[in-house]
Structures are given as structure tokens and as C-alpha cells.
Amino acid sequence: MPYINIQVTDENVTKNQKRQLIEGVTQLLVDVLDKNPKTTHVVIQEVPIDNWGFDSKQYSETKKQ
Amino acid sequence: MPYINIQVTDENVTKNQKRQLIEGVTQLLVDVLDKNPKTTHVVIQEVPIDNWGFDSKQYSETKKQ
Amino acid sequence: MPYINIQVTDENVTKNQKRQLIEGVTQLLVDVLDKNPKTTHVVIQEVPIDNWGFDSKQYSETKKQ
Amino acid sequence: MPYINIQVTDENVTKNQKRQLIEGVTQLLVDVLDKNPKTTHVVIQEVPIDNWGFDSKQYSETKKQ
Amino acid sequence: MPYINIQVTDENVTKNQKRQLIEGVTQLLVDVLDKNPKTTHVVIQEVPIDNWGFDSKQYSETKKQ
Amino acid sequence: MPYINIQVTDENVTKNQKRQLIEGVTQLLVDVLDKNPKTTHVVIQEVPIDNWGFDSKQYSETKKQ
């Protein structure tokens, strides 16, 4: 524990940015809840922009505006 | 809020069908729970047919029958 | 298939409202993707209002404003 | 890795049954994919029977039939 | 977007700690991916210690050692 | 019910291994909780090795050591 799932739109997130997300969220769980980094798992899921919607619209359309 | 995750098999769901799913499920949350579309997020995840199983069988095999 | 996970804040959603969500989202998957209701699973997760945040704020605090 | 999420209806699953699920699914990942038990996390989520639906019906209703 | 799901064991996480997790992870997504806090949703799920396992053991048992 | 989500790193899991995971975890739910295979759904999600982190490190880096 813990397990953290980060879902973002698939918009060319670089390897280095993923590394920063993993390091940052792990450190946050250490700082706030004193969790052990060795048992802290982070999974980043990249979602195609046609597949994410909010405000009733597909993000691929919202993005064009 | 809310967040709605729709998992379907990866069988050529079109962009337009995804739009209908996003619109439809958002409207459902407005109608039933009076939620705000602006904070209603919908994510569609498409799962390869080898990766989905029910009745102990891979859907890629079930589909052939 | 499909599997639909609906996450909402824990604010006294009634049994009848849950029934409407289940019926509504199942019908949507039938209408849009011609899915079989018998293999369409819907799970509603109710999240305590301290446990949901957006715009950097806990919804339990946002709600007071 | 891996992370396994088991969602079942909240119908008095005992502590011992949960232990068997954790042991069994971990062993499966060892046997099939040679995964390391030390980094294999299992989370069991128990869902109220009003909150699970399939075949367009709430399981709390299906169960009465 | 994004949506971040934080699963931790149910061990008396305080309201204030949850606030810190929400603020911290939202700020991380702003810093690393320049995301908009207004559309960044964070959900914290607290899992009973009988329901979390790793290294083939229930955390409720591991904790006693 | 139940629904089981298995997240593993994307490291050439074969079709046959996926079949074994589906069969094995379904049988486990039958054996331990007497569940019906016909309503037991299994989804396998393969996560790129840059996208999985534990012990504060990207698995793609850990793997090189």
C-alpha cells in the first residue's frame, strides 16, 4: 500500500514527466501518511482524447475550441 | 463529481458512438441525481478481446463460437 | 461486458435512484453499442465528501460555500 | 506489480475467505507470470447489493427471485 | 481531467490529511503537466485492512508482526 | 458479479497466459465464494513500463538494474 492511479489524457506525456509524477506522488504519501515508498505503487493511464468527456463533450472537441 | 468509467471490449467503437456514450451518461446523472455536467467526467476504456474473460473463457474465443 | 463504474459522492442516493442509474446506463449501452444487458455490469461507488476533491478543495468544504 | 482489484457484492465475506482470495490470486500471478509476491498487491472491494446491477436489475432485487 | 484515485488502508486518515493529499496531488499535476485544478478530480478510497494483501498476506496479519 | 481487474506491466503477456489468468481467477472465486462463472468478469490491463512506479522509481528504470 498505497496504490495510486493517475488517469490523464493521452497528450504526449514524456517519460521524464511520468518519472516526476511517480516521485512526486510517492513523496506526498510519505510526507502526509508516512507510507513506505517500497510498497507504494503508482500507475499512470493515458486515455485517448476521444475517450474522455466532461461537460457532456468529448475532450477532442473541447480542445478545438 | 461524478466520475464514470465505461469499460468495453476494443471492437471498433467509433468516435460518434463515444460521443453518444458521453452525452448519454452525463444526461443520466443530470436527470437522476441533478449533477452538474461541468464537473461530470466520463472515461471510456477499450479492452483488447484477449484481455476480457467471463464464464471462464477469453472473449476472443467466445466470439468465434 | 461492458462494465460501468459510477463514482458519486455519498449524499443519500436512494435505492430507487440507484435502480434508475443501473437501468439507464444499461439501456444506453444497448442503444449505442448493441450490448447484451445480461453481461452488462454496473457498480455504483459512493465516496465520502471528505474523500473527494476538485479545484484543490475537499468537496465537504466546497459544499459549505 | 501486479495490482489486482477484486469487486464482489457485500454479502458477509469472512476474513478467512478474504485471506484465501489474497493467497490464491497471488499464487496464480506467481505460477502464470512468475511475479514476485512481495510486489503483488490485492485489494478486495465489497459493493452493497443495491449498488450492483446486471441484466438491468439491482442485484438486491435479483436476489429475491 | 485528470482523475486521480488514491487507495490507502483504512487506518484513521484524518480530514486534514485528506485535504493535504488532495491539495498536494492537484498541485503536482499543475506543476508537472500544467493541468487545470478546476477539472482535476481526486478520490481517496479507504480499504479495510482485512481487504488489502501483499506478499500473499492480509495486511491485518502483517501489521501484527 | 464478481468483477476482477488485473493490472500488470506490458511485458509480452501471451494470449495463453491471459487465458490461464482468466480461468484461474474465475475458478478461485468459484472455490472460495461459490460464485457463478457466467457472471464473473475478468479484465486484464497491461501498463507500459514507463507508466508503473514503485519505491519512487519508474519500473522501466528499475528493470535495467
Side-chain angles (χ1 to χ4, degrees), chain A residues 9-40:
Chain A
T9 42
D10 190 355
E11 299 178 273
N12 309 311
V13 180
T14 68
K15 174 171 181 172
N16 187 43
Q17 287 173 319
K18 293 172 185 175
R19 182 184 57 75
Q20 290 177 58
L21 289 175
I22 289 165
E23 286 176 6
V25 85
T26 302
Q27 193 55 52
L28 179 66
L29 272 292
V30 172
D31 296 344
V32 177
L33 296 181
D34 193 26
K35 293 298 184 184
N36 177 356
K38 289 197 184 311
T39 61
T40 299

Side-chain angles (χ1 to χ4, degrees), chain E residues 4-5 8 10 15 24 29 40 48 55 61 65:
Chain E
I4 303 106
N5 180 280
V8 292
D10 191 354
K15 174 169 181 173
L29 272 293
T40 299
D55 202 6
E61 295 307 308
Q65 293 155 5

Side-chain angles (χ1 to χ4, degrees), chain C:
Chain C
M1 306 89 42
Y3 165 83
I4 302 108
N5 180 280
I6 300 175
Q7 295 180 15
V8 292
T9 43
D10 190 354
E11 299 178 274
N12 309 310
V13 181
T14 66
K15 174 169 181 172
N16 188 42
Q17 288 173 319
K18 293 172 186 177
R19 182 184 56 75
Q20 290 177 59
L21 290 176
I22 289 166
E23 285 176 7
V25 84
T26 302
Q27 192 57 50
L28 179 66
L29 272 293
V30 171
D31 297 344
V32 177
L33 295 181
D34 192 27
K35 293 298 185 183
N36 176 356
K38 289 197 183 312
T39 61
T40 299
H41 286 250
V42 182
V43 166
I44 300 165
Q45 286 179 284
E46 297 166 275
V47 178
I49 58 176
D50 279 351
N51 290 38
W52 199 304
F54 68 95
D55 201 7
S56 290
K57 287 182 281 300
Q58 261 168 320
Y59 178 61
S60 48
E61 295 308 308
T62 309
K63 221 184 147 179
K64 291 175 188 168
Q65 293 154 4

Side-chain angles (χ1 to χ4, degrees), chain B residues 6-22:
Chain B
I6 300 175
Q7 294 180 14
V8 292
T9 42
D10 190 355
E11 300 179 272
N12 310 311
V13 180
T14 67
K15 174 171 181 171
N16 186 43
Q17 288 174 318
K18 292 172 185 177
R19 182 184 55 76
Q20 290 176 59
L21 290 175
I22 289 166

Side-chain angles (χ1 to χ4, degrees), chain D residues 2 4 6 19-42, chain E residues 53-58, chain F residues 21 25 28:
Chain D
I4 303 107
I6 301 175
R19 182 184 56 75
Q20 290 177 58
L21 290 175
I22 289 166
E23 285 177 6
V25 85
T26 302
Q27 192 57 49
L28 179 67
L29 271 294
V30 171
D31 297 343
V32 177
L33 296 180
D34 192 27
K35 293 299 185 184
N36 176 355
K38 289 197 184 311
T39 61
T40 300
H41 286 250
V42 183
Chain E
F54 68 96
D55 202 6
S56 289
K57 288 183 279 305
Q58 263 168 319
Chain F
L21 290 175
V25 85
L28 179 67

